[in-house]
């Protein structure tokens, strides 16, 4: 090798990019909306459900477009399953708001509009962070949460 | 220092014979300060004079011998008491007796072996120094002069590129390439990252240079990692088929040559860490060791005179008629 006074810093050769790759849709499309809160039930047995809509082109998900309804405790279930079975650090959920369940509050408690909106935003951030994690995508519980009509709490945990 | 007020004492001074012409090199001390020391290479002779100056002229100084030592030693910070000397040379300058006036002694350590480079790190220090000692019954008078040693190499015969395909199955596949596996300290890392599959949302990509200092042996091995550089090479989301170039100039960073198992006491190794960060701050990384070496200027001496002048012109020297400096050993750039 010659001792050149100036180093050769020219770029290494590389394959030209295919134009369909360059301008086509990216392979990492994944969007999850948590929206349309609805209050279900009557009186003291009311609870809120949220629409969880997923659109993706990742091959690991069976459906490219899915919509299910989930409540806060379903998100809690998912968090616990992932913490137990997967190696990932699961992000936090928005708060449990136990105080809001006590009687004699000045506002609507759990069904206060602002509170539901805050919680919706937190749940949306939570599910998007998890669903994009390559390790979480291997867990059966995540797929069931996102794409099955209802969650079977007696399911057999495992990898897809 | 003496117990009774007016005992005779002396100052010792070590002066190198080539102090005027020898180059100095900067070296960081343990407390982070940068000082300049005389620069030596393996095989060079270390010669000079020891000046013993009496504090109280006229009074005699009794002593048990005057000597000068050339020492190369490794000091592990967790074991300060034990200095591991790998070079230890002594020259006796005076037999036990007395000095009645200030004196100068000549010394020469011929063609001294200096097998390792001077190194001051987080947990270990390797240093070379001269130590002149006037031995006395109660307390010795001594003086040390630290020098710095650089180890030089030439372009390796074999310097293959590093090319590898890595990834997470079905999520992210990349092929990275670095043009060499051995780089000198003022070299440029030229490479590229080619994306084969991108199913995660990448936000940016960077290359870090990590220095790992390893001390201790067996069960007591301790690694100290230090990120020397973080260099962003891509901002934004890549797709399949995209190729991101890398051009990283090493001269801007403070690094040492790779040191492997020095005297079986410590190692200093360097790694390139390619880091991809996705939109949720998740980090995907691949570490790869590179070998760093210090380039000497020895090749210049064998060039023809004409070629030498041309290369001087090319590097912007304004006096192409000036003869090549004889002692030019290292790249000054």
């Amino acid at each position: 090798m010659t001792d050149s006074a100036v180093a050769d810093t020219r770029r290494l050769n590389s394959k030209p990019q295919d134009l369909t790759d360059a301008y086509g849709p990216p392979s990492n499309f994944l969007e999850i909306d948590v929206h349309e809160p609805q209050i279900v039930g009557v009186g003291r047995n009311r609870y809120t459900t949220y629409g969880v809509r997923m659109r993706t082109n990742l091959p690991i998900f069976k459906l490219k477009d899915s919509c299910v309804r989930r409540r806060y405790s379903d998100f809690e279930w998912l968090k616990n399953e992932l913490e137990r079975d997967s190696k990932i650090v699961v992000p936090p959920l928005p708060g449990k708001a136990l105080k809001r369940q006590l009687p004699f509050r000045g506002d609507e408690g759990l069904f206060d509009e602002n509170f539901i909106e805050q919680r919706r935003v937190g749940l949306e951030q939570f599910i998007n962070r998890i669903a994009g994690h390559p390790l979480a995508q291997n867990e059966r519980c995540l797929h069931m949460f996102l794409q099955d009509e209802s969650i079977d709490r007696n399911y057999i945990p495992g990898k897809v | 220092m003496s117990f009774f007020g007016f005992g005779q004492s002396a100052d010792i001074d070590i002066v190198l014979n080539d102090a005027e012409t020898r180059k100095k090199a900067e070296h960081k001390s343990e407390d982070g300060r940068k000082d300049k020391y005389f620069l030596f290479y393996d095989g060079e002779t270390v010669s000079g004079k020891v000046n013993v100056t009496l504090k109280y002229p006229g009074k005699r100084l009794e002593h048990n011998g005057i000597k000068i030592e050339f020492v190369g030693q490794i000091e592990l910070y967790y074991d300060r008491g034990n200095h591991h000397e790998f070079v230890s040379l002594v020259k006796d300058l005076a037999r036990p007796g007395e000095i009645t006036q200030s004196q100068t002694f000549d010394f020469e350590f011929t063609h001294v072996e200096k097998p390792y480079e001077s190194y001051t790190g987080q947990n270990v220090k390797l240093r070379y120094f001269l130590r002149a000692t006037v031995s006395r019954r109660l307390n010795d008078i001594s003086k040390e002069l630290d020098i710095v040693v650089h180890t030089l190499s030439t372009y390796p015969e074999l310097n293959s590129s590093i090319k590898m395909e890595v990834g997470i199955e079905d999520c992210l596949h990349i092929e990275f390439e670095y043009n060499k596996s051995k780089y000198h300290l003022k070299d440029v890392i030229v490479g590229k990252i080619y994306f084969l599959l991108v199913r995660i949302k990448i936000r940016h990509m960077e290359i870090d240079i990590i220095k790992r200092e390893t001390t201790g042996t067996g069960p007591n091995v301790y690694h100290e990692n230090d990120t020397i550089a973080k260099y962003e090479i891509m901002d934004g989301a890549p797709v399949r088929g995209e190729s991101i170039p890398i051009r990283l100039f090493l001269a801007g960073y403070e690094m040492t040559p790779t040191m492997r198992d020095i005297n079986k006491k410590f190692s200093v190794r360097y790694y390139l860490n390619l880091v991809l960060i996705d939109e949720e701050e998740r980090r995907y990384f691949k570490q790869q060791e590179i070998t760093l070496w210090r380039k000497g200027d020895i090749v210049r001496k064998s060039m023809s005179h004409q070629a030498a002048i041309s290369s001087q012109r090319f590097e912007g020297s304004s006096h192409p008629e000036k003869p090549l400096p004889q002692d030019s050993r290292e790249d000054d750039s």
Side-chain angles (χ1 to χ4, degrees):
Chain A
M1 190 166 184
T2 56
D3 179 9
S4 49
V6 175
D8 183 1
T9 58
R10 288 172 302 178
R11 290 190 183 183
L12 300 179
N13 289 330
S14 55
K15 287 185 276 224
Q17 189 181 24
D18 191 274
L19 286 180
T20 51
D21 284 338
Y23 292 103
S27 322
N28 60 3
F29 179 64
L30 172 68
E31 268 175 28
I32 304 179
D33 297 315
V34 175
H35 59 174
E36 289 177 6
Q38 275 169 18
I39 299 174
V40 172
V42 286
R44 290 236 242 114
N45 299 323
R46 285 178 301 167
Y47 60 91
T48 311
T49 62
Y50 302 85
V52 179
R53 168 123 189 249
M54 178 166 108
R55 279 167 296 189
T56 184
N57 65 1
L58 297 180
I60 198 164
F61 290 107
K62 277 219 288 271
L63 302 173
K64 299 309 163 210
D65 199 337
S66 66
C67 197
V68 295
R69 296 216 60 93
R70 295 285 179 254
R71 58 185 291 189
Y72 182 85
S73 55
D74 292 333
F75 284 82
E76 275 186 315
W77 170 86
L78 176 63
K79 180 170 196 281
N80 289 333
E81 293 297 297
L82 288 174
E83 271 170 351
R84 188 193 65 221
D85 290 340
S86 82
K87 295 199 185 83
I88 74 178
V89 173
V90 185
L93 277 171
K96 222 171 139 49
L98 288 166
K99 278 214 215 135
R100 285 186 175 264
Q101 293 177 35
L102 297 173
F104 309 123
R105 288 183 62 96
D107 60 15
E108 304 278 302
L110 278 180
F111 306 101
D112 175 64
E113 250 176 51
N114 289 331
F115 168 70
I116 287 184
E117 174 57 22
Q118 257 184 7
R119 194 175 249 199
R120 184 199 69 75
V121 167
L123 292 175
E124 193 172 76
Q125 283 172 356
F126 171 83
I127 193 62
N128 273 290
R129 281 193 73 180
I130 288 188
H133 198 306
L135 290 178
Q137 285 166 6
N138 289 335
E139 299 294 326
R140 265 255 74 228
C141 55
L142 179 70
H143 291 260
M144 188 159 70
F145 178 94
L146 286 171
Q147 306 204 312
D148 286 4
E149 175 91 24
S150 57
I151 294 178
D152 175 13
R153 305 233 170 176
N154 295 321
Y155 84 120
I156 301 164
K159 312 271 185 250
V160 299
Chain B
M1 223 176 35
S2 75
F3 287 96
F4 302 100
F6 296 100
Q8 177 60 293
S9 186
D11 284 326
I12 309 184
D13 201 30
I14 308 174
V15 181
L16 298 177
N17 284 340
D18 51 11
E20 297 289 304
T21 51
R22 182 166 289 278
K23 273 205 201 154
K24 284 191 163 187
E26 259 185 20
H27 192 81
K28 213 155 52 156
S29 62
E30 231 178 292
D31 51 17
R33 248 186 21 227
K34 272 193 183 183
D35 285 319
K36 284 188 163 220
Y37 301 91
F38 285 110
L39 177 60
F40 281 86
Y41 300 98
D42 188 15
E44 279 194 300
T45 291
V46 184
S47 67
K49 302 182 192 318
V50 177
N51 301 321
V52 181
T53 313
L54 295 178
K55 264 223 173 84
Y56 307 106
K59 249 181 141 175
R60 50 163 209 225
L61 177 73
E62 283 178 13
H63 66 84
N64 280 341
I66 304 180
K67 67 179 179 197
I68 182 150
E69 300 166 274
F70 181 86
V71 179
Q73 73 181 24
I74 296 172
E75 190 183 307
L76 292 156
Y77 295 173
Y78 61 77
D79 189 21
R80 294 266 190 186
N82 286 328
H83 293 164
H84 305 274
E85 292 183 359
F86 55 88
V87 174
S88 182
L89 306 168
V90 189
K91 292 258 189 265
D92 283 320
L93 299 175
R95 287 213 314 264
E98 61 183 39
I99 308 182
T100 46
Q101 56 184 14
S102 299
Q103 257 190 283
T104 293
F105 303 89
D106 288 297
F107 70 88
E108 178 176 298
F109 294 101
T110 325
H111 301 314
V112 184
E113 218 184 276
K114 305 174 203 74
Y116 312 119
E117 172 145 331
S118 296
Y119 175 75
T120 301
Q122 300 277 66
N123 299 295
V124 60
K125 182 155 69 163
L126 188 155
R127 61 186 268 247
Y128 295 84
F129 57 94
L130 288 159
R131 179 170 53 212
T133 310
V134 175
S135 303
R136 297 200 295 177
R137 196 166 49 91
L138 287 173
N139 45 26
D140 296 343
I141 311 169
S142 78
K143 183 78 187 285
E144 285 182 3
L145 176 68
D146 271 63
I147 61 160
V148 152
V149 171
H150 283 173
T151 51
L152 300 180
S153 307
T154 47
Y155 280 96
E157 266 170 39
L158 211 60
N159 199 352
S160 49
S161 65
I162 301 172
K163 190 165 175 175
M164 230 180 264
E165 202 181 296
V166 293
I168 301 172
E169 197 161 324
D170 296 330
C171 275
L172 174 67
H173 290 178
I174 59 167
E175 184 191 76
F176 69 86
E177 184 178 345
Y178 306 128
N179 62 333
K180 304 180 201 176
S181 35
K182 300 173 187 156
Y183 291 93
H184 63 81
L185 296 179
K186 300 202 160 79
D187 215 332
V188 188
I189 298 177
V190 175
K192 72 177 206 284
I193 310 295
Y194 181 73
F195 287 89
L196 294 152
L197 180 71
V198 190
R199 291 207 183 119
I200 53 171
K201 295 180 185 173
I202 297 172
R203 215 185 53 217
H204 72 265
M205 177 165 65
E206 67 185 39
I207 275 215
D208 300 345
I209 302 178
I210 298 180
K211 169 181 161 189
R212 181 172 302 154
E213 181 192 279
T214 304
T215 47
T217 50
N220 299 323
V221 170
Y222 180 68
H223 300 293
E224 180 95 39
N225 290 329
D226 187 21
T227 303
I228 301 228
K230 276 182 190 244
Y231 189 71
E232 185 177 89
I233 57 174
M234 178 188 82
D235 183 20
V239 292
R240 177 173 54 211
E242 256 182 291
S243 197
I244 304 298
I246 299 167
R247 188 184 290 146
L248 179 50
F249 290 83
L250 296 179
Y253 305 106
E254 265 176 38
M255 299 187 296
T256 69
T258 294
M259 300 171 84
R260 286 202 176 89
D261 206 25
I262 300 302
N263 206 230
K264 299 201 196 327
K265 294 273 175 292
F266 71 95
S267 295
V268 182
R269 301 166 90 133
Y270 291 87
Y271 301 83
L272 289 181
N273 198 25
L274 180 70
V275 186
L276 293 97
I277 297 135
D278 74 11
E279 299 215 338
E280 300 295 348
E281 303 289 335
R282 286 179 285 257
R283 297 161 66 89
Y284 309 77
F285 62 91
K286 174 68 184 147
Q287 227 176 69
Q288 192 63 41
E289 182 174 6
I290 54 169
T291 302
L292 295 183
W293 55 279
R294 190 181 288 279
K295 185 158 82 116
D297 218 9
I298 304 166
V299 180
R300 284 229 178 116
K301 289 187 175 166
S302 65
M303 282 163 88
S304 71
H305 188 57
Q306 191 54 43
I309 290 176
S310 312
S311 88
Q312 272 192 317
R313 279 212 182 101
F314 184 85
E315 286 180 49
S317 166
S318 52
H319 301 287
E321 304 81 48
K322 225 165 48 176
L324 280 174
Q326 287 303 328
D327 284 339
S328 166
R329 291 292 293 271
E330 262 178 61
D331 243 332
D332 273 336
S333 50

